[in-house]
């Protein structure tokens, strides 16, 4: 569901824009791919176990940008099959956080799936951003207004603490040049020192959906538990798959969950960055495509690497995890807000005769070999 690490706005077309965009894109990938540091084990992970038996299901939702209907379709299917009847925790980043909030509304009876679909299907680019000529970042005040209308006014979720299901949303502290992106996990329950149930939920959603470079970074005004600095997309940190919030929840709760469902969107490996920029009115003269740069190819690598991090650092919880990620021939751009209904219906058709699969099965033996080789290299 934002290489916005540049302070100055970037103008296009022209060589200056291309250089700046390449640099920003590189910074984004470096920041999003820097989670290979081992994490200390917490109680219940590989040593002794929890004293109370595991129970309940946790749902983890990755970012998707305009592919948010794909994840929404999978989550609705899980709900219709009864897989969410014992849901005890939800974690989301970027547009995955939007699906997490919507699910809170649906399971608490404040919204129906029909209503949520109608909102998604009616969304167009004009509801997300306004172009600043050929300048990045775009103006995302329309998106903020949409959040306020649906989340605050319709659902009645003014603060993150209003969410009835324990829910964590990751935002990323905008890094200084050369520094590592820092994940900040905000939860509706006090699972860590950063979590404050009184933080405005719309502010959090604006921050976690601030795609670097493309959308402007956001501050969280009035927050007492985190610094008053700029924040960007939650997936631009080590929380590409936000499983660490689940581990913090398990520790806070004093017992582990019995099942983890990881929901994501389809990944398209072909070069697409030039086309994505074109949707924002930016013409890079197809330089990125000629270089073979694909956001999704790098994102898929990050997705798989994050799964391996999960298995390596928290094996007792990871072995209970299942992955559901659609795979069909049709392709949809990350910023294509014209195809919301088509994406939803295509994903529903794909999911009809399928179900989530274990993490190890998803990764497969070949991926395991590549991961082990990469970890062994200096």
């Amino acid at each position: 569901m934002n290489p916005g690490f540049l302070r100055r706005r970037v103008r296009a077309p022209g060589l200056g824009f291309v250089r700046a965009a390449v640099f920003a894109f590189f910074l984004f990938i470096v920041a999003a791919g820097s989670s290979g540091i081992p994490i200390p084990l917490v109680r219940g992970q590989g040593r002794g176990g929890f004293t109370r038996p595991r129970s309940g299901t946790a749902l983890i939702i990755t970012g998707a940008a305009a592919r948010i209907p794909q994840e929404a379709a999978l989550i609705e299917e899980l709900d219709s099959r009864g897989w969410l009847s014992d849901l005890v925790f939800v974690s989301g980043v970027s547009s995955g956080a939007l699906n997490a909030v919507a699910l809170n509304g649906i399971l608490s009876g404040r919204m129906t799936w029909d209503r949520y679909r109608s909102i998604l299907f009616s969304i167009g680019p004009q509801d997300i951003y306004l172009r600043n000529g050929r300048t990045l970042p775009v103006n995302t005040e329309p998106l903020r207004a949409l959040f306020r209308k649906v989340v605050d006014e319709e659902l009645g979720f003014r603060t993150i603490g209003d969410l009835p299901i324990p829910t964590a949303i990751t935002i990323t502290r905008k890094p200084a040049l050369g520094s590592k992106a820092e994940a900040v996990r905000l939860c509706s329950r006090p699972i860590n020192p950063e979590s404050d149930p009184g933080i405005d939920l719309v502010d959090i959603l604006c921050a976690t959906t601030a795609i670097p470079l493309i959308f402007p970074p956001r501050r969280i005004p009035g927050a007492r538990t985190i610094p008053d600095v700029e924040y960007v997309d939650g997936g631009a940190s080590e929380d590409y798959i936000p499983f660490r919030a689940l581990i913090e929840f398990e520790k806070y709760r004093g017992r582990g969950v019995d099942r983890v469902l990881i929901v994501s969107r389809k990944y398209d490996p072909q070069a697409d960055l030039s086309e994505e920029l074109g949707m924002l009115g930016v013409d890079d003269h197809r330089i990125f495509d000629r270089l073979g740069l694909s956001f999704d190819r790098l994102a898929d690598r990050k997705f798989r690497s994050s799964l391996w991090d999960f298995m390596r650092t928290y094996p007792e919880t990871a072995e209970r995890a299942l992955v559901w990620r659609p795979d069909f021939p049709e392709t949809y751009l990350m910023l294509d807000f014209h195809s919301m209904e088509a994406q939803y219906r295509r994903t529903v058709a794909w999911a009809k005769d399928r179900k989530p699969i274990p993490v190890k099965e998803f990764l497969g033996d070949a991926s395991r070999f590549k991961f082990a080789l990469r970890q062994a290299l200096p």
Side-chain angles (χ1 to χ4, degrees):
M1 79 85 137
N2 170 27
F5 303 152
L6 299 178
R7 288 188 175 275
R8 295 182 301 171
R9 287 188 171 178
V10 184
R11 296 190 177 276
L15 186 58
F17 163 76
V18 173
R19 287 174 176 168
V22 170
F23 181 59
F25 184 74
F26 173 77
L27 285 179
F28 173 55
I29 296 306
V30 170
S34 57
S35 62
I37 301 174
I39 300 169
L41 296 175
V42 298
R43 182 166 62 91
Q45 298 298 325
R47 293 179 185 173
F50 292 103
T51 58
R52 302 166 65 190
R54 289 178 173 270
S55 67
T57 292
L59 177 64
I60 297 176
I61 316 170
T62 71
R67 295 164 186 160
I68 183 175
Q70 298 178 26
E71 294 182 340
L74 295 181
I75 296 168
E76 181 178 5
E77 185 65 21
L78 290 172
D79 186 30
S80 68
R81 297 182 189 184
W83 286 48
L84 304 181
S85 60
D86 61 346
L87 188 67
V88 297
F89 180 78
V90 185
S91 178
V93 294
S94 196
S95 53
L98 307 183
N99 275 326
V101 171
L103 184 63
N104 268 268
I106 291 166
L107 296 185
S108 64
R110 303 186 186 204
M111 176 186 283
T112 64
W113 279 111
D114 284 343
R115 171 58 181 153
Y116 187 40
R117 285 196 302 272
S118 71
I119 293 172
L120 290 176
F121 295 171
S122 66
I123 290 176
Q126 71 281 356
D127 302 302
I128 307 300
Y129 61 84
L130 299 174
R131 291 182 183 176
N132 291 314
R134 289 182 291 184
T135 301
L136 295 176
V138 295
N139 182 333
T140 54
E141 285 306 310
L143 181 61
R144 183 180 183 83
L146 179 63
F147 289 163
R148 188 64 69 187
K149 177 181 178 181
V150 176
V151 175
D152 189 349
E153 298 174 9
E154 181 171 342
L155 292 177
F157 298 149
R158 187 182 65 82
T159 69
I160 191 171
D162 291 333
L163 297 174
I165 303 169
T167 302
I169 298 172
T170 300
I171 60 178
T172 299
R173 183 171 178 173
K174 184 181 174 183
L177 186 63
S179 63
K180 181 178 180 291
E182 177 187 346
V184 178
R185 302 174 190 102
L186 303 175
C187 187
S188 57
R189 306 294 188 272
I191 65 172
N192 56 34
E194 297 80 40
S195 294
D196 175 2
I199 298 179
D200 188 284
L201 183 55
V202 169
D203 286 337
I204 297 173
L205 294 177
C206 287
T208 195
T209 55
I211 307 170
L213 178 65
I214 299 172
F215 290 177
R218 293 288 188 170
R219 291 181 179 268
I220 310 292
R224 300 168 297 176
T225 55
I226 59 175
D228 182 19
V229 297
E230 291 183 332
Y231 296 92
V232 296
D233 194 308
S237 67
E238 62 183 2
D239 277 21
Y240 189 85
I241 299 176
F243 64 82
R244 291 174 179 83
L246 169 59
I247 303 305
E248 293 179 347
F249 172 73
E250 288 187 323
K251 184 178 180 181
Y252 161 78
R253 185 189 185 213
R255 67 164 64 182
V257 297
D258 192 48
R259 179 170 59 185
V260 182
L261 300 172
I262 300 173
V263 170
S264 193
R265 44 76 173 188
K266 181 181 183 256
Y267 288 69
D268 297 313
Q270 68 271 20
D272 54 15
L273 198 52
S274 295
E275 193 171 356
E276 296 280 9
L277 291 173
M279 300 195 73
L280 301 172
V282 174
D283 181 9
D284 74 329
H285 305 287
R286 305 204 72 81
I287 290 176
F288 287 134
D289 283 357
R290 288 198 293 271
L291 291 174
L293 291 178
S294 167
F295 177 86
D296 267 7
R297 189 178 300 120
L298 295 167
D300 178 59
R301 188 179 307 162
K302 180 60 182 172
F303 182 83
R304 294 173 183 275
S305 176
S306 296
L307 287 178
W308 278 109
D309 283 347
F310 191 13
M311 293 176 60
R312 176 174 54 85
T313 53
Y314 304 107
E316 290 189 11
T317 297
E319 70 182 9
R320 292 167 168 79
L322 304 171
V323 177
W324 217 13
R325 200 178 80 167
D327 185 17
F328 39 72
E330 294 84 352
T331 61
Y332 301 97
L333 293 176
M334 182 179 69
L335 298 174
D336 180 12
F337 293 98
H338 296 284
S339 61
M340 307 292 271
E341 183 171 359
Q343 291 187 59
Y344 200 101
R345 300 199 183 286
R346 184 63 186 91
T347 307
V348 168
W350 176 88
K352 182 178 180 181
D353 299 318
R354 294 176 172 87
K355 62 182 181 180
I357 61 175
V359 171
K360 288 183 179 180
E361 181 180 338
F362 176 85
L363 292 171
D365 292 335
S367 294
R368 185 176 299 111
F369 172 77
K370 292 178 182 178
F371 178 82
L373 181 61
R374 186 174 72 251
Q375 292 295 95
L377 292 175

